[in-house]
Amino acid sequence: MKITKVEAKIVRVPADEPLADGPTPKGSMRDLVTLRLGTDEGVEGIGYTFFGAALTGALREAVEALGKLAIGEDPLRIEAIHAKLRAAAAGSGPGGIQTLALSPVDIALWDIKGKVLNQFVWQLIGGCRDRVPTYASGALMRTFPLEHLVRAGPKFVEKGFC
Protein backbone atom coordinates (compact mmCIF):
# COMPACT_ATOMS: atom_id res chain seq x y z
CA MET A 1 0.00 0.00 0.00
CA LYS A 2 1.25 3.49 -0.87
CA ILE A 3 0.13 7.04 -0.16
CA THR A 4 -1.16 8.53 -3.40
CA LYS A 5 -3.27 11.55 -2.45
CA VAL A 6 -2.85 14.57 -0.19
CA GLU A 7 -5.50 17.22 0.39
CA ALA A 8 -5.13 20.02 2.95
CA LYS A 9 -7.97 22.47 3.57
CA ILE A 10 -8.92 25.23 5.96
CA VAL A 11 -12.19 24.55 7.75
CA ARG A 12 -14.05 27.07 9.94
CA VAL A 13 -15.80 25.70 13.03
CA PRO A 14 -17.63 27.39 15.90
CA ALA A 15 -15.24 28.56 18.62
CA ASP A 16 -17.64 27.89 21.47
CA GLU A 17 -16.43 26.29 24.69
CA PRO A 18 -19.15 23.86 25.81
CA LEU A 19 -17.28 22.12 28.65
CA ALA A 20 -17.74 24.95 31.14
CA ASP A 21 -19.71 27.48 29.10
CA GLY A 22 -16.67 29.66 28.46
CA PRO A 23 -17.29 33.30 27.57
CA THR A 24 -16.68 33.09 23.84
CA PRO A 25 -18.24 35.81 21.69
CA LYS A 26 -21.42 34.71 19.92
CA GLY A 27 -20.75 33.62 16.38
CA SER A 28 -16.97 33.41 16.82
CA MET A 29 -15.20 30.88 14.63
CA ARG A 30 -11.91 28.98 14.73
CA ASP A 31 -9.92 27.95 11.67
CA LEU A 32 -8.60 24.39 11.52
CA VAL A 33 -6.36 22.84 8.90
CA THR A 34 -7.55 19.38 7.86
CA LEU A 35 -5.56 16.79 5.98
CA ARG A 36 -6.77 13.79 4.00
CA LEU A 37 -4.18 11.20 3.02
CA GLY A 38 -5.38 8.66 0.46
CA THR A 39 -3.83 5.35 -0.52
CA ASP A 40 -3.75 3.28 -3.69
CA GLU A 41 -6.00 0.76 -1.89
CA GLY A 42 -8.71 3.33 -1.20
CA VAL A 43 -8.02 3.72 2.51
CA GLU A 44 -8.14 7.33 3.69
CA GLY A 45 -6.75 8.87 6.86
CA ILE A 46 -7.82 12.22 8.27
CA GLY A 47 -5.90 14.53 10.59
CA TYR A 48 -6.15 18.13 11.74
CA THR A 49 -4.20 20.94 13.37
CA PHE A 50 -4.67 24.61 14.22
CA PHE A 51 -2.68 27.76 14.86
CA GLY A 52 -3.42 31.47 14.84
CA ALA A 53 -5.82 33.19 12.50
CA ALA A 54 -3.36 35.18 10.39
CA LEU A 55 -0.99 32.21 10.01
CA THR A 56 -3.57 29.55 9.17
CA GLY A 57 -2.84 29.81 5.44
CA ALA A 58 0.88 29.32 6.04
CA LEU A 59 0.13 26.31 8.23
CA ARG A 60 -2.07 24.80 5.51
CA GLU A 61 0.77 25.20 3.02
CA ALA A 62 3.22 23.56 5.44
CA VAL A 63 0.83 20.65 6.07
CA GLU A 64 0.37 20.12 2.34
CA ALA A 65 4.12 20.33 1.69
CA LEU A 66 4.90 17.69 4.33
CA GLY A 67 1.99 15.55 3.17
CA LYS A 68 3.26 15.59 -0.42
CA LEU A 69 6.63 14.31 0.79
CA ALA A 70 4.80 11.21 2.04
CA ILE A 71 3.45 10.33 -1.41
CA GLY A 72 4.77 6.93 -2.47
CA GLU A 73 5.47 5.87 1.10
CA ASP A 74 3.90 2.92 2.92
CA PRO A 75 1.49 4.54 5.43
CA LEU A 76 1.99 1.69 7.91
CA ARG A 77 5.66 2.70 8.36
CA ILE A 78 4.76 5.73 10.48
CA GLU A 79 8.16 6.18 12.16
CA ALA A 80 9.99 6.03 8.80
CA ILE A 81 7.68 8.70 7.37
CA HIS A 82 8.24 10.86 10.47
CA ALA A 83 11.99 10.59 10.01
CA LYS A 84 11.74 11.55 6.34
CA LEU A 85 9.51 14.57 7.03
CA ARG A 86 11.58 15.78 9.99
CA ALA A 87 14.75 15.55 7.89
CA ALA A 88 13.09 17.50 5.08
CA ALA A 89 12.12 20.30 7.49
CA ALA A 90 15.45 20.13 9.33
CA GLY A 91 16.10 23.75 10.26
CA SER A 92 12.52 24.55 11.24
CA GLY A 93 12.10 22.33 14.26
CA PRO A 94 11.51 20.60 16.45
CA GLY A 95 8.67 22.77 17.62
CA GLY A 96 6.80 25.62 16.02
CA ILE A 97 5.20 25.28 12.65
CA GLN A 98 7.09 22.04 11.88
CA THR A 99 5.40 20.24 14.77
CA LEU A 100 2.02 21.81 13.99
CA ALA A 101 2.32 20.72 10.34
CA LEU A 102 3.54 17.21 11.17
CA SER A 103 0.66 16.60 13.60
CA PRO A 104 -2.13 16.06 11.05
CA VAL A 105 0.15 13.81 8.98
CA ASP A 106 0.77 11.72 12.09
CA ILE A 107 -2.93 11.57 12.97
CA ALA A 108 -3.88 10.61 9.39
CA LEU A 109 -1.22 7.85 9.30
CA TRP A 110 -2.51 6.35 12.56
CA ASP A 111 -6.05 6.64 11.18
CA ILE A 112 -5.01 4.65 8.10
CA LYS A 113 -3.17 2.04 10.16
CA GLY A 114 -6.16 1.57 12.46
CA LYS A 115 -8.50 1.15 9.51
CA VAL A 116 -6.21 -1.33 7.73
CA LEU A 117 -5.66 -3.43 10.87
CA ASN A 118 -9.26 -2.94 12.07
CA GLN A 119 -8.09 -1.63 15.44
CA PHE A 120 -8.56 1.54 17.44
CA VAL A 121 -5.45 3.68 17.90
CA TRP A 122 -5.39 2.94 21.63
CA GLN A 123 -5.05 -0.76 20.75
CA LEU A 124 -2.27 -0.06 18.24
CA ILE A 125 -0.17 1.75 20.84
CA GLY A 126 -0.47 -0.92 23.50
CA GLY A 127 -3.95 -0.72 25.00
CA CYS A 128 -2.76 -1.35 28.54
CA ARG A 129 -5.37 0.88 30.22
CA ASP A 130 -9.11 1.26 30.03
CA ARG A 131 -8.90 4.87 31.30
CA VAL A 132 -6.34 7.66 30.84
CA PRO A 133 -5.99 11.01 32.58
CA THR A 134 -7.18 13.93 30.46
CA TYR A 135 -7.14 17.67 30.74
CA ALA A 136 -9.22 20.45 29.25
CA SER A 137 -6.63 23.11 28.52
CA GLY A 138 -8.49 24.40 25.47
CA ALA A 139 -11.37 25.30 27.73
CA LEU A 140 -9.19 27.47 29.97
CA MET A 141 -8.23 30.23 27.58
CA ARG A 142 -5.87 32.98 28.71
CA THR A 143 -8.38 35.55 27.51
CA PHE A 144 -11.14 34.30 29.85
CA PRO A 145 -11.79 36.38 33.00
CA LEU A 146 -10.37 35.03 36.25
CA GLU A 147 -13.89 34.63 37.69
CA HIS A 148 -14.79 32.20 34.90
CA LEU A 149 -11.61 30.16 35.41
CA VAL A 150 -12.33 29.87 39.15
CA ARG A 151 -15.88 28.59 38.40
CA ALA A 152 -14.73 26.31 35.55
CA GLY A 153 -12.10 24.37 37.53
CA PRO A 154 -14.55 22.43 39.72
CA LYS A 155 -16.78 21.73 36.69
CA PHE A 156 -13.85 20.09 34.90
CA VAL A 157 -12.99 17.96 37.92
CA GLU A 158 -16.64 16.93 38.17
CA LYS A 159 -16.56 15.83 34.51
CA GLY A 160 -13.46 13.70 35.12
CA PHE A 161 -10.67 15.99 33.90
CA CYS A 162 -7.56 16.27 36.06
Side-chain angles (χ1 to χ4, degrees):
M1 177 180 343
K2 301 289 181 205
I3 296 170
T4 57
K5 182 182 111 185
V6 174
E7 180 183 26
K9 290 184 175 179
I10 297 172
V11 177
R12 300 199 90 203
V13 298
D16 57 342
E17 189 289 290
L19 292 176
D21 299 317
T24 54
K26 261 218 184 317
S28 62
M29 303 294 281
R30 176 173 290 126
D31 292 336
L32 302 178
V33 175
T34 62
L35 174 69
R36 290 177 179 265
L37 289 181
T39 70
D40 58 352
E41 294 185 16
V43 182
E44 183 177 78
I46 299 171
Y48 77 96
T49 188
F50 61 94
F51 199 34
L55 296 175
T56 300
L59 179 57
R60 192 202 72 75
E61 292 293 328
V63 168
E64 189 166 80
L66 288 181
K68 285 180 178 178
L69 291 173
I71 290 177
E73 299 292 335
D74 178 349
L76 303 182
R77 298 187 65 231
I78 296 171
E79 292 81 8
I81 294 172
H82 273 228
K84 178 181 180 179
L85 301 186
R86 279 193 305 272
S92 64
I97 200 161
Q98 178 193 12
T99 299
L100 292 171
L102 184 57
S103 294
V105 177
D106 180 62
I107 294 167
L109 291 171
W110 283 103
D111 190 24
I112 290 170
K113 190 169 191 169
K115 288 172 179 173
V116 168
L117 300 177
N118 197 30
Q119 291 189 337
F120 295 107
V121 173
W122 68 266
Q123 293 168 310
L124 293 172
I125 61 174
C128 68
R129 303 180 193 171
D130 60 359
R131 294 178 60 87
V132 295
T134 61
Y135 64 98
S137 66
L140 299 173
M141 307 299 278
R142 287 179 276 192
T143 57
F144 289 170
L146 181 60
E147 308 81 59
H148 169 73
L149 300 176
V150 169
R151 282 191 316 272
K155 288 181 183 180
F156 295 135
V157 172
E158 206 174 283
K159 291 180 180 189
F161 295 104
C162 36

